[in-house]
Amino acid sequence: MFIAPNVAAVAVFLLFPLGFSLYLSFHAWDLFRPMRFVGLANYRRLFGSDPLFLIALRNSAVFTVLTLVPTVVIGLGIAAALNRKLFGIGIFRTVAFLPLVASTVAMAVVWRFIFTEDGMLDIGLGWIGWGPVPWLTDPDLALVSLSVVTVWKSVPFATVILLAAMQGVPEPLYEAAKLDGAGAVRRFSAITLPLIRGPLSFVFVITVINSMQAFDQVYALTGSNGGPDTGTYLLGIMLFQNAFGFYEVGYASALAWVIFAILLVLTLLQLRFARREAVDL
């Protein structure tokens, strides 16, 4: 009886939408007319006759790589720098974590002004003799710009997780390594990285999931069409267009379950790798 309200909330707001979206993926529905059962037609269309799916899948894969690698590397670096007992280190930790509490849409709007023609970034580049750069009007640069914004938003979360993991590493291990003559880089690679492999794997999984599901920052930065051209046309934008632009709810539900399947496979592979490489104290 005590947990019944929570169970009911999970059933209503999580399990029912999941089951209903799977049901919708086998139907054609435009929100106005009755549903029509079409079997696997939505999935066959997705994989066989929709060229935009391959474009969205490719862009999402590139965007995930462009986001994942810098997020993990920069997060590790900042966490290692903040994992020190220095006077005033709390101030630096607070500053590093501030982007984590910022609204994604508000953050993307600010970055849009930075990337716009004659914006702050172009003005700064003009001081060193570089001309205006089409950050948001060139299809390739637009995806890179989107990745920069997403990394800026993702790094604080990665830093929080990795810093907490680093602070849990037993100090005697570092002291013993120092006595053996190991330098800072050697201690980090031989002690820190193996012992934070679990949290590092978690950061990998969460970053991949957030990148594959990216929508709000794309919408605020480059619009609802994933422009310019199809430069930032990601799976999240494709799902939004089909569901709320074309009112093809069944097709959008099929796409949502394909995204879920992709993320499930990537997550299981990463967790299996992390479990196999785990280090026990």
Side-chain angles (χ1 to χ4, degrees):
M1 292 296 293
F2 183 76
I3 66 172
N6 292 326
V7 174
V10 170
V12 172
F13 296 107
L14 181 61
L15 298 182
F16 173 74
L18 282 174
F20 189 56
S21 67
L22 181 61
Y23 175 79
L24 285 175
S25 69
F26 299 106
H27 291 75
W29 188 37
D30 61 1
L31 297 176
F32 303 103
R33 289 172 292 188
M35 297 183 193
R36 180 169 54 88
F37 180 76
V38 295
L40 297 175
N42 288 327
Y43 294 95
R44 286 196 295 266
R45 173 187 167 191
L46 193 63
F47 290 104
S49 60
D50 192 345
L52 288 177
F53 173 67
L54 294 179
I55 293 174
L57 186 61
R58 180 200 64 195
N59 288 345
S60 296
V62 174
F63 172 71
T64 299
V65 173
L66 291 177
T67 302
L68 176 64
V69 176
T71 296
V72 173
V73 173
I74 297 174
L76 273 173
I78 296 178
L82 296 178
N83 189 29
R84 300 172 181 271
K85 296 179 180 179
L86 300 175
F87 177 76
I89 193 66
I91 299 177
F92 292 99
R93 291 174 180 171
T94 303
V95 172
F97 300 157
L98 282 179
L100 187 62
V101 300
S103 166
T104 302
V105 174
M107 170 266 300
V109 170
V110 172
W111 275 96
R112 185 171 184 174
F113 283 109
I114 294 176
F115 283 130
T116 191
E117 187 177 353
D118 297 328
M120 294 176 56
L121 188 56
D122 278 349
I123 292 175
L125 293 176
W127 292 344
I128 59 176
W130 286 14
V133 179
W135 299 106
L136 299 178
T137 56
D138 180 88
D140 295 328
L141 283 179
L143 190 60
V144 174
S145 302
L146 177 63
S147 301
V148 170
V149 175
T150 307
V151 168
W152 185 84
K153 176 68 175 177
S154 303
V155 162
F157 174 79
T159 302
V160 169
I161 301 299
L162 297 176
L163 177 58
M166 290 180 184
Q167 291 180 338
V169 177
E171 190 64 29
L173 295 178
Y174 293 119
E175 296 175 356
K178 288 181 181 179
L179 292 176
D180 290 338
V185 176
R186 178 60 178 171
R187 294 196 301 271
F188 183 79
S189 61
I191 298 176
T192 305
L193 281 181
L195 293 181
I196 65 169
R197 192 178 297 275
L200 190 59
S201 176
F202 175 76
V203 170
F204 265 84
V205 170
I206 295 299
T207 304
V208 170
I209 291 175
N210 290 337
S211 299
M212 291 292 290
Q213 294 180 336
F215 167 74
D216 41 4
Q217 67 266 41
V218 189
Y219 187 94
L221 198 66
T222 60
S224 61
N225 294 321
D229 295 332
T230 55
T232 58
Y233 191 78
L234 305 183
L235 290 171
I237 292 293
M238 182 179 180
L239 192 153
F240 171 80
Q241 278 190 341
N242 283 281
F244 304 106
F246 308 143
Y247 296 109
E248 297 186 7
V249 179
Y251 188 59
S253 298
L255 175 60
W257 277 92
V258 169
I259 296 174
F260 168 76
I262 294 173
L263 291 176
L264 178 62
V265 171
L266 293 176
T267 301
L268 291 177
L269 289 175
Q270 177 58 35
L271 292 178
R272 181 177 180 181
F273 172 78
R275 192 179 301 114
R276 185 179 59 191
E277 299 293 334
V279 175
D280 296 326
L281 290 179

